[in-house]
Amino acid sequence: MSSQLTGRPADLSVAHWRAVAAATGPADRATAEQAVRDAYRAAGLAEPAEFRWCPSPRAAVDELLAHRDEFGASVREQVRTAAWERARTAALAALGPAGWSALWAVTGAELATTTALPAERVRAALLDHFAPEPEPIDDWQEARKPENRAVRQAAAERRGRIRLLLLDAVAGQHDAAWLAAFDTAGTGDAALAALAGAARQTGWWWPYERTVLLSERPTALHRDEAGRLDRADGPALAYADGFALHAWRGMPVPADFLDRLTGLTPERIRGEENAELRRVMLEHFGYDRYLAESGAEPLHRDATGTLWRIQLPNDEPVVMVEVLNSTPEPDGTHRTYYLRVPPGTRTARAGVAWTFGVEEAEYHPQQET
Amino acid sequence: MYRQGDVLIVPVAQSAVPAALEQAARQPRDARGRLVLALGEVTGHAHAVVGPGELVREGGPFGAAWLHLPEGGRVVHEEHAAIALPGGWYRVVRQREYTPGAVRVVAD
């Protein structure tokens, strides 16, 4: 078997599983299905009779809503959870609680941004797609009417049902953080190696007695340098059937929001009532352009940079330090960037010092590049 | 103190280094044998130390870290000039940005 969880060094595990977590494109279905068969056998179960591939987790939930009864009982506990429990128990026995926690810090924790957060976003998007929350009703007398209560009750029940279906899923490539930890601990048995083999090929998958539902990985994944979902001109995470998530530096934004960013004006930015969306609009428009077009005056200037303030209606002001990158770009210019700092900041040096968590008086780098 | 892009490297006296650090796990070196202070997920560009030393991280990839360079070392990055560090202990801080109600890290 190609799957190996043999106790390789943390940096090699993390690099390998980082790549798995960020992989896009079609699975090698034969390899994935064989890995799942191995996982069933290692759990002492009969091999599944049928594999059904779906282009996205959304398509998989559609399939589940239509045909769940035909698939047999969920075997997630036996196939996935029991193997994890064995691996974790063995790791704890070998390393002790402190050793396990230290191992986690240099393996799984390194991958949380690229695995746990997108998985959480996918889960939330599926809930909103299949069981949207009803519009809030401000008037409490209206909200208490039996027909309105019935609508909320029905929505809550549907949300509960979708949640249960999502609990049956194995996260596939999004399990990379845990698999990296077990990979370094070297405590995985054949069952865990089979799960690792499946994770290398697929997105989420649903193990049932008779049928296994598998979702293909995304066709596109865009992240920023910190590993957060991030794209300004399209979905940050997209699947072949059109299921997609939009995000700006990790912050979820509505699908049509990015389209509306093209014709931005300072007036439209000021008019946006959602403070988080307004922040994205400001960043997208460019602080420098906004400052120029709104005729802002700098609050303070010193050797570290310039401090600016933008007043916003019904919100705390945006206070930013404008900083020059010390290393010149290839063309000899210095790139300018803006960092938002707490609204009470009074000097540029205090602002830059805050971004590094040190006091203004302390912040005196002897060398900057 | 030294700044390379979004990373600040602050010298600290050995007496100021927490005793608990003795027991803490050392950050493993990367495949090129470097101590990675901060890694860009997409470009793979890294603020990294070449030379002998140890790195101990606090609380995840964006937590602060302690760097011990008994013989000094160099911090390198694909887009920034290298910085030579004298021997000793350092606190390594990743730059952050204010957002109302939260704080997020900066990635350059």
Side-chain angles (χ1 to χ4, degrees):
Chain A
M1 189 182 302
S2 65
S3 308
Q4 289 172 345
L5 293 165
T6 53
R8 58 178 149 183
D11 66 311
L12 295 182
S13 308
V14 169
H16 173 77
W17 290 103
R18 191 191 294 284
V20 168
T24 54
D28 173 345
R29 293 188 175 187
T31 302
E33 290 175 11
Q34 188 54 51
V36 172
R37 277 192 207 98
D38 291 342
Y40 271 59
R41 265 210 321 278
L45 300 170
E47 289 185 4
E50 183 197 15
F51 291 93
R52 283 197 199 180
W53 284 87
C54 303
S56 74
R58 185 180 69 185
V61 174
D62 262 329
E63 190 77 9
L64 282 166
L65 288 171
H67 301 290
R68 167 72 188 81
D69 296 343
E70 304 158 27
F71 300 161
S74 168
V75 293
R76 183 177 182 273
E77 287 290 311
Q78 300 97 301
V79 168
R80 182 268 209 184
T81 309
W84 279 32
E85 281 305 319
R86 284 195 302 276
R88 197 164 55 170
T89 306
L92 271 173
L95 303 167
W100 167 250
S101 130
L103 177 102
W104 178 260
V106 298
T107 54
E110 294 278 323
L111 297 175
T113 325
T114 19
T115 57
L117 295 181
E120 199 39 58
R121 290 288 318 282
V122 168
R123 215 167 278 127
L126 291 174
L127 273 172
D128 288 343
H129 175 78
F130 287 101
E133 300 262 26
E135 286 293 315
I137 301 174
D138 289 338
D139 180 343
W140 68 272
Q141 279 182 322
E142 188 67 20
R144 282 184 53 178
K145 285 183 179 166
E147 62 269 29
N148 285 327
R149 291 172 71 142
V151 165
R152 311 195 88 68
Q153 180 70 21
E157 279 168 15
R158 190 162 170 86
R159 238 172 142 78
R161 186 173 172 216
I162 301 296
R163 266 186 227 282
L164 285 177
L165 292 176
L166 295 179
L167 282 178
D168 287 346
V170 179
Q173 68 180 154
H174 287 156
D175 280 335
W178 283 94
L179 292 166
F182 294 139
D183 204 347
T184 294
T187 52
D189 55 13
L192 198 76
L195 291 174
R200 290 187 181 102
Q201 291 298 333
T202 73
W204 296 10
W205 54 282
W206 281 257
Y208 295 103
E209 275 176 315
R210 211 190 76 71
T211 303
V212 178
L213 270 187
L214 300 105
S215 164
E216 287 282 6
R217 294 178 296 211
T219 49
L221 170 67
H222 300 266
R223 297 172 299 147
D224 68 3
E225 276 289 276
R228 301 168 293 201
L229 291 177
D230 175 52
R231 191 174 168 202
D233 58 353
L237 182 71
Y239 289 82
D241 63 352
F243 176 55
L245 299 180
H246 293 71
W248 173 275
R249 297 191 188 168
M251 194 185 99
V253 295
D256 63 345
F257 175 74
L258 296 171
D259 295 336
R260 292 189 272 125
L261 291 180
T262 46
L264 273 185
T265 60
E267 292 68 38
R268 274 193 48 210
I269 295 170
R270 275 194 294 272
E272 170 61 54
E273 289 184 7
N274 180 316
E276 289 199 315
L277 295 182
R278 186 166 54 207
R279 193 190 85 212
V280 175
M281 291 164 113
L282 263 173
E283 288 179 359
H284 192 269
F285 188 73
Y287 287 124
D288 49 348
R289 203 174 139 204
Y290 189 91
L291 291 169
E293 293 190 13
S294 60
E297 292 288 328
L299 291 179
H300 182 257
R301 250 188 244 275
D302 60 32
T304 66
T306 308
L307 190 72
W308 295 91
R309 175 161 59 203
I310 296 175
Q311 294 291 351
L312 293 171
N314 307 318
D315 199 1
E316 62 181 84
V318 177
V319 175
M320 298 167 300
V321 279
E322 175 192 341
V323 187
L324 281 181
N325 228 350
S326 304
T327 301
E329 301 291 309
D331 66 0
T333 61
H334 289 261
R335 188 165 67 96
T336 305
Y337 61 100
Y338 294 82
L339 294 174
R340 191 164 173 181
V341 294
T345 308
R346 292 179 176 276
T347 69
R349 182 178 303 277
V352 177
W354 181 89
T355 67
F356 288 115
V358 300
E359 294 297 321
E360 176 176 6
E362 283 177 65
Y363 185 75
H364 287 282
Q366 56 210 85
Q367 196 179 349
E368 291 183 82
T369 69
Chain B
M1 66 177 62
Y2 306 83
R3 185 170 78 95
Q4 188 181 57
D6 58 357
V7 167
L8 188 72
I9 302 161
V10 187
V12 289
Q14 182 149 15
S15 56
V17 176
L21 234 56
E22 294 275 328
Q23 312 298 326
R26 269 45 186 163
Q27 186 78 9
R29 286 171 181 269
D30 73 354
R32 289 151 71 179
R34 309 175 304 175
L35 292 169
V36 176
L37 308 182
L39 173 73
E41 276 261 2
V42 176
T43 55
H45 290 177
H47 300 277
V49 169
V50 285
E54 289 178 321
L55 181 68
V56 180
R57 225 178 253 302
E58 292 174 350
F62 298 113
W66 298 85
L67 175 67
H68 184 211
L69 298 176
E71 301 163 28
R74 276 164 70 79
V75 194
V76 297
H77 186 276
E78 287 79 354
E79 293 172 342
H80 299 274
I83 296 179
L85 296 176
W89 278 90
Y90 297 89
R91 288 261 299 155
V92 181
V93 187
R94 188 108 186 229
Q95 195 165 33
R96 61 183 175 163
E97 186 175 13
Y98 175 82
T99 60
V103 166
R104 61 177 173 173
V105 295
V106 174
D108 71 357

